[in-house]
Amino acid sequence: MKGKKILALTLVTSIVFAVCACGNGSSQESRAGEDGTSQGQASGLGQETSSGSPEQTGAGDVPGDETVKYPIVDTPITVKGVVVGKDTGVRSDRLVWNKVSEITGIHIEWESLDPDALATYLAGGDWPDFIHYNLEPAMINDYGITGGRFVNYLEYLDYMPNLVKTFEDYPLVKGAVTQINGEIYSLPGVEVSATTASARPYVRTDVLEDAGLKLEEIKTVDDFYQALVTLKEQNGEAGFIPYFVDDESYWAPMLFGAFGTLTNMNFDDDGNGNVIFNRTSEQMKRYLSYMNKLYSEGLIHQEYLTLDQAVRLDRAQSGKVAFIGGFEGNSLQATDFADGEFHLDCMAPLTSEWDDTQEILGKSIYFANGGFFLNAQSDYIVELCKMFDIMYATEEVVEGSGLLGQSFCYGLLGQDWDYGTEGSGVYVFHCPEKYDGSFTTYQYAELIWDNAGREDALAGLVTETVGNSRARQLGFVNNVIPYQSDSYFAVGLLKFTDEEQRVLDNRLADITSYYKEMEGKFITGVVDVESGWENYVSTLDKMGVQDVIDVYQASYDRWNGR
C-alpha cells in the first residue's frame, strides 16, 4: 500500500523473486546491458572440519578477518563443479571463472549436465564439490533440509564478508535464501540496473507527436483516455495494444496503481502485516471498469488478448500505435522510425480522482535464488566459501584484475566493460568483433555462467551505445524507477510446510486461471463489471481464496518472526 512500510519485507528499493539479469535469455529485458545479516552462527569455525581448520587453509583469512588474501591457498588445488543447463554455450569453461582460478589458486573442472538428467544424477550420490543450478524446492528439501547433503552457508559467513555485506545492504536477500528450517544452502543473485523495474509502459513518442500530443502532458487517466481518442481519430485505429499476461509487469500494474492506494494487483500486505487479496478490491473494480470503457470505444486493439507477436510487432512498426508491450518495445529498430532515431520512452505513472500520488509497484531489485549448492562432503568447503564470496565484492578483489561481483554478470572491469566518463551516467561494453556487437551472446558463450553474484555497479547507468536499449533505459531511469513503491509483498520468497504447499497446489492454479479469465471478460464486456462483480467475488471465495490467504499469512508470520 502506498506510503506504508512493511515490517520485514521492506527495502529502500524492493525485491522480486525472479531470474536475475544474468539468469537466462528469457529475462534479458531486465538486464541493464541489453545491448549486445548479521553474521550467522559460526558453529564449526575454528574447529576441525572437512576442509581443515583455518590454519590449514593456506593463504586465506582467519574467521573474523575481513581482509581476504590471495591466493586463497598456498598450494593450488582442483575442485569439481557441475553446471546444469540445456545450453551452456560454446566453451566448457568461462573466462571470468578462469580469472577466479588464477587469483585464488583454485582450479575448477567444470561439467555440464542436462536438466532432464539432474534428478538421476543427484540420486546417484556421486557428487562434485558443488552444483550450480536453481534447484527445485523438492530437491532442496530432499537433499538439504532432510538429507543434510548441502553445506549450510550460515556456518561459514565469517569466511564470506562480501556476502554478509550484501545481506546487510539488501535485507530481503538473506530471508529469500533461508529455508524453512532456518538454514541457507544456495547463494543469491542480486541485480540493480537501469531496467530493473516492474511496470514497463513503452511509448512511441513520435506517434504521439504526429498526433499533436506530448508524453509529458499525459498525467491522469483522463489525459490518457483523451490521448487514445486523439490517436484513433488521427490514425483510424486503436493506439494501444496492452500486454496483460503478467500481473506484475508491463501496463497492468501501472494503470491499476492510478485508481487507488494499492500497487500490487494480487496478494499484498495491508500495512499491518495482514495478507489481503487485491483482486476483489474496489480499486480493482474501478480499474477494470476504466479498461472496459477504453475497449468498448475501440481505443484498445480489439484482439489484444489473442494477437501473436508478429502482429503486435507489425502494428508497433506501423507508426500508428503509440502505447506498446515489451516484446514490441524490445524489437523496434532504427529503421522503424522515419528519421532513423529511436523515439522510444516509458510513460510515468498516472493519477486519478481516487489517488493523486504517482506510485507504482516496486521492484527495483531482481533476485535469483541462484545456486552454488556446496557438497557437505567436499574437502574444500572453507576454500570454496572464500572463492564464492568474490561474487559479492563491490570493488576489485585484486587491483588490476577487473574481478568483482559485477564480473559474474558482465565480465572483467576494464576488459569487457567500463564506466563512462565520470558524471556521464553511462557504461560501455567491449564486445569481440566475431560476436557482431551482441554482447549478450558473448556473455553466455564465453564470459559467465548463470544466476549468481552481486550485480549493482551499473545501477542508474545507461549504455553509451545509441539504440533501442539506451532509449528504453532512459525511459526507466526518468519515468519509472523514481516512482516505484518502497514496499512490495514478495510472495514468491515465502517458504511453506508440506501441508501448506498442498493447499496451494490444490487451490492457487484454479484461482489464478479464473481471475485472469474474468479480467478478460470484464474488460471486453462479455461480463458487465457492475452486475457481475458480486458473483465474481463469491466464486473466488468458494474456490478457496481464503485458504490461500491463510497459508500466505502463516508463512508471512514466520518470516516476520511472529
Side-chain angles (χ1 to χ4, degrees), residues 23 25 40 50 92-93 101-102 105 140 194 206 229 265 284 376 380 392 409 417 437 448 461 467 487 498 503 540 558:
S50 61
S92 60
D93 60 353
S101 294
E102 176 187 321
I140 296 175
D206 59 331
V229 170
M265 300 181 76
M284 177 61 70
Y380 303 109
Y392 303 93
C409 187
W417 65 279
I448 65 169
L461 304 181
S487 57
D498 290 344
V503 172
L540 283 169
R558 290 194 298 269

Side-chain angles (χ1 to χ4, degrees), residues 39-78:
Q39 296 205 358
Q41 296 178 346
S43 58
L45 297 181
Q47 304 175 18
E48 189 77 10
T49 69
S50 61
S51 60
S53 67
E55 291 77 11
Q56 294 173 308
T57 62
D61 58 311
V62 297
D65 178 6
E66 296 191 359
T67 303
V68 181
K69 302 172 183 65
Y70 297 98
I72 287 173
V73 294
D74 289 327
T75 302
I77 61 174
T78 296

Side-chain angles (χ1 to χ4, degrees), residues 38-260:
S38 61
Q39 296 205 358
Q41 296 178 346
S43 58
L45 297 181
Q47 304 175 18
E48 189 77 10
T49 69
S50 61
S51 60
S53 67
E55 291 77 11
Q56 294 173 308
T57 62
D61 58 311
V62 297
D65 178 6
E66 296 191 359
T67 303
V68 181
K69 302 172 183 65
Y70 297 98
I72 287 173
V73 294
D74 289 327
T75 302
I77 61 174
T78 296
V79 299
K80 294 183 178 181
V82 162
V83 176
V84 183
K86 286 188 175 297
D87 181 11
T88 53
V90 299
R91 300 179 63 103
S92 60
D93 60 353
R94 288 298 185 272
L95 295 177
V96 169
W97 284 97
N98 290 349
K99 176 62 72 171
V100 171
S101 294
E102 176 187 321
I103 70 167
T104 63
I106 302 174
H107 173 69
I108 306 172
E109 292 183 353
W110 296 97
E111 177 185 353
S112 176
L113 183 69
D114 189 288
D116 294 338
L118 179 59
T120 301
Y121 182 88
L122 292 175
D126 185 17
W127 291 7
D129 293 281
F130 64 90
I131 298 170
H132 181 35
Y133 191 59
N134 186 10
L135 295 181
E136 297 176 358
M139 291 179 175
I140 296 175
N141 180 74
D142 291 346
Y143 296 105
I145 297 172
T146 303
R149 294 292 306 277
F150 297 136
V151 165
N152 175 17
Y153 281 106
L154 287 178
E155 298 178 355
Y156 294 89
L157 289 185
D158 278 333
Y159 298 104
M160 307 183 78
N162 293 315
L163 177 62
V164 170
K165 183 64 166 59
T166 298
F167 285 163
E168 293 171 351
D169 291 344
Y170 302 113
L172 264 183
V173 173
K174 184 179 181 183
V177 292
T178 301
Q179 298 300 317
I180 198 166
N181 65 347
E183 298 189 348
I184 294 177
Y185 306 122
S186 63
L187 297 176
V190 181
E191 183 216 356
V192 186
S193 70
T195 59
T196 41
S198 175
R200 316 185 83 79
Y202 293 136
V203 183
R204 280 195 60 158
T205 56
D206 59 331
V207 177
L208 290 181
E209 291 165 2
D210 287 345
L213 301 168
K214 294 182 179 179
L215 179 60
E216 60 271 20
E217 294 179 354
I218 303 175
K219 297 181 179 180
T220 70
V221 294
D222 292 334
D223 294 338
F224 186 55
Y225 167 79
Q226 290 299 332
L228 291 176
V229 170
T230 300
L231 286 169
K232 185 178 180 182
E233 292 174 347
Q234 172 86 5
N235 299 322
E237 65 178 270
F240 183 24
I241 304 180
Y243 181 77
F244 290 158
V245 174
D246 188 342
D247 298 333
E248 298 189 356
S249 194
Y250 302 102
W251 282 94
M254 199 278 246
L255 292 173
F256 171 76
F259 290 91

Side-chain angles (χ1 to χ4, degrees), residues 502-514:
R502 279 193 290 272
V503 172
L504 297 181
D505 292 343
N506 290 329
R507 298 279 192 272
L508 191 54
D510 288 342
I511 288 171
T512 302
S513 178
Y514 175 71

